[in-house]
Amino acid sequence: MNTFSNNKRIAKNTLLLYFRMIFMMLVALYTSRIVLNTLGVEDYGIYNVVGGIVAMFGFLNSSMSTTTMRYITYELGKGNFERLKVVFNTCQLILGIISVLVVVGAETVGVWFLYNKMQIPVDRMDAAFWVFQCSILATVVLIMSVPYNAIIVAHERMSAFAYISILEVVLKLAIVYLLLFFSVDKLILYAILILFVQFAIRVIYKVYCNKHFPETHAIWVINKALIKEMAGFTGWNLFGNIAAVLSSQGLNILLNIFFGPVVNAARAVSVQVQSAIIQFSSNFQMALNPQIIKTYAADDYKMMHKLIGRSSKFTFFLLLFLSLPIMIQTDFVLTIWLKTVPDYTVTFLRIMLCTTIVDSVANPLMVAASATGRVRLYQSVVGGILLAILPVSYIILETGGDPNSVFIVHLIFSVIAFAVRLFIIRPMIKLDLSEYMIILGRIFMVVCLSLPLPLLYHYYRDNGFVDFIITCLLCMSTVSLSVYYIGLDRQEKGFAYSRIQIILQKIKLI
């Protein structure tokens, strides 16, 4: 494998995804503000918690999404294009079955839960029902889009992925303004329009993939051996994804049961910011994840370990750079962004960002486990740890805990799960634990050097706009200097320097 060309391709894909992500983040944050103000805090909370019920059934989709990405990328790494075609069509068949199961589960158990357990005002129950129905259909559309998304990422066609994603957020922004011109129930209308956008994007993905990738054409071949193999892989991922869904949407429903939709609105606002931050790490890792799986398929463990380490390290540095100013100046950011800031939002956001950083750094280890295809031990142990989040949170709330306590529990269990992942995966991919611990040591040193100066300034100064700008500059400066002098090794410094030189030369030419 040509390391230089590989790094160049990863850098190009990452840069393209960042442009996409920055645009999407700005539009998403602006859109969420308009939606919150248009729907109101209560309806905004209802939309998110009702959609969360359907998301509870989405663990089937999440499991198959991981399976689809792994098998498609693995076959590309092997260069077996005939089997790739069979894999793609087998994924479509399985996802069609999963769609049926999601609809049946949501229309039975989901509807019962909506009417009997959710804390929703009586006069908004009809609107909540129609939001629920639209969410079910939107989930089915997303499920059937999984193979097309996977094939684009596996082929590393990030330009197509970026442009289609940008179109999606533009459409979502447009429908927000449509809400202002209709006098019908805005909550129901918003749910219908979101469904329309999801369907339109699904059609675009299918047309693009059918045009550029021959393996996406239907062949209607039922490979029982492959179905059995993929079902086994999906089954263990299913357990892990149930745990992940319960630790997110389950907590959302717990908050609704104990505190009502207003607290759900606080969580929904926090999730918007959290999702914007996650976009940065996911875009960087999206460029690396196919390479991790392909290097495993090629038995290139040395390169695989290097990609895992760099993905974990760079993800942490990137998220620290972005989230540190927000965590320090949370009150100011939310006040400027929103006209109405729901109670608990500030604390929710700070804790959730810490959890996001831990989970994002652990993600390359999850991809590595998926690449091996041997996920039974990994998913059973890690999934078991994550499953404990919901009952522990319930006990704490039942004994008088406040809404913040469930997010603290989530953070603690995420740290425990990260440590366990590391020790389980080490023998699976022949990972040198001492080398990875050096990476974690660099991360720890960067944190220790980055925090003191911004925190001291914030402690002694008021929360004004000038102080916000100075805090951001201090955070960016301390993180950047710490990363360059402590976080990067010699080879990484050389690569970063060369890329900066190329960018500067291009700017001069302009």
Side-chain angles (χ1 to χ4, degrees), residues 323 327 349-359 411 414:
S323 61
M327 285 192 281
L349 179 56
R350 284 172 173 163
I351 301 172
M352 289 170 69
L353 286 178
C354 292
T355 305
T356 296
I357 292 174
V358 173
D359 290 341
L411 174 59
S414 292

Side-chain angles (χ1 to χ4, degrees), residues 451-485:
L451 289 178
L453 192 57
L455 287 176
L456 283 172
Y457 181 84
H458 178 67
Y459 181 79
Y460 287 107
R461 297 290 297 182
D462 293 330
N463 235 5
F465 180 75
V466 174
D467 292 320
F468 169 72
I469 297 298
I470 294 175
T471 301
C472 289
L473 292 175
L474 286 174
C475 289
M476 290 186 290
S477 300
T478 56
V479 172
S480 299
L481 292 173
S482 300
V483 168
Y484 185 79
Y485 287 104

Side-chain angles (χ1 to χ4, degrees), residues 124-289:
R124 301 304 293 149
M125 187 56 76
D126 287 342
F129 173 79
W130 289 110
V131 169
F132 185 74
Q133 296 300 319
C134 291
S135 297
I136 294 172
L137 293 176
T139 299
V140 171
V141 172
L142 287 174
I143 289 173
M144 296 310 297
S145 298
V146 166
Y148 298 99
N149 294 352
I151 205 74
I152 290 174
V153 174
H155 279 281
E156 301 182 58
R157 296 287 187 90
M158 300 309 176
S159 58
F161 189 80
Y163 296 142
I164 296 174
S165 299
I166 289 172
L167 175 61
E168 182 177 359
V169 296
V170 169
L171 290 175
K172 287 181 178 179
L173 176 61
I175 67 175
V176 170
Y177 284 103
L178 282 177
L179 294 177
L180 303 175
F181 296 99
F182 293 91
S183 58
V184 297
D185 191 307
K186 296 185 185 302
L187 180 57
I188 297 175
L189 178 61
Y190 181 67
I192 293 172
L193 292 175
I194 287 291
L195 171 61
F196 170 78
V197 170
Q198 298 288 8
F199 181 77
I201 295 301
R202 163 72 170 82
V203 172
I204 292 171
Y205 271 122
K206 179 176 174 58
V207 171
Y208 177 85
C209 289
N210 286 345
K211 181 178 179 180
H212 293 88
F213 310 122
E215 63 268 22
T216 62
H217 297 156
I219 57 174
W220 305 112
V221 172
I222 298 179
N223 188 320
K224 294 182 179 179
L226 181 59
I227 292 175
K228 183 178 179 181
E229 180 184 341
M230 294 178 71
F233 185 85
T234 303
W236 286 108
N237 277 316
L238 183 64
F239 181 76
N241 280 288
I242 290 174
V245 168
L246 288 178
S247 66
S248 57
Q249 296 301 331
L251 292 183
N252 194 28
I253 292 174
L254 267 187
L255 290 174
N256 177 266
I257 293 173
F258 280 90
F259 304 105
V262 174
V263 174
N264 291 124
R267 178 190 175 275
V269 169
S270 302
V271 168
Q272 287 291 329
V273 182
Q274 180 194 37
S275 299
I277 297 296
I278 288 175
Q279 286 292 326
F280 282 87
S281 63
S282 62
N283 281 319
F284 174 74
Q285 291 178 343
M286 189 182 295
L288 282 175
N289 290 346

Side-chain angles (χ1 to χ4, degrees), residues 92-117:
Q92 284 191 307
L93 174 63
I94 297 175
L95 286 166
I97 296 172
I98 288 175
S99 297
V100 174
L101 295 176
V102 168
V103 171
V104 172
E107 293 289 6
T108 52
V109 178
V111 170
W112 172 85
F113 194 87
L114 174 67
Y115 279 97
N116 293 278
K117 296 297 181 181

Side-chain angles (χ1 to χ4, degrees), residues 77-98:
K78 286 290 188 181
N80 191 342
F81 292 99
E82 285 301 317
R83 183 171 171 82
L84 176 62
K85 184 181 294 187
V86 177
V87 165
F88 182 87
N89 286 275
T90 301
C91 289
Q92 284 191 307
L93 174 63
I94 297 175
L95 286 166
I97 296 172
I98 288 175

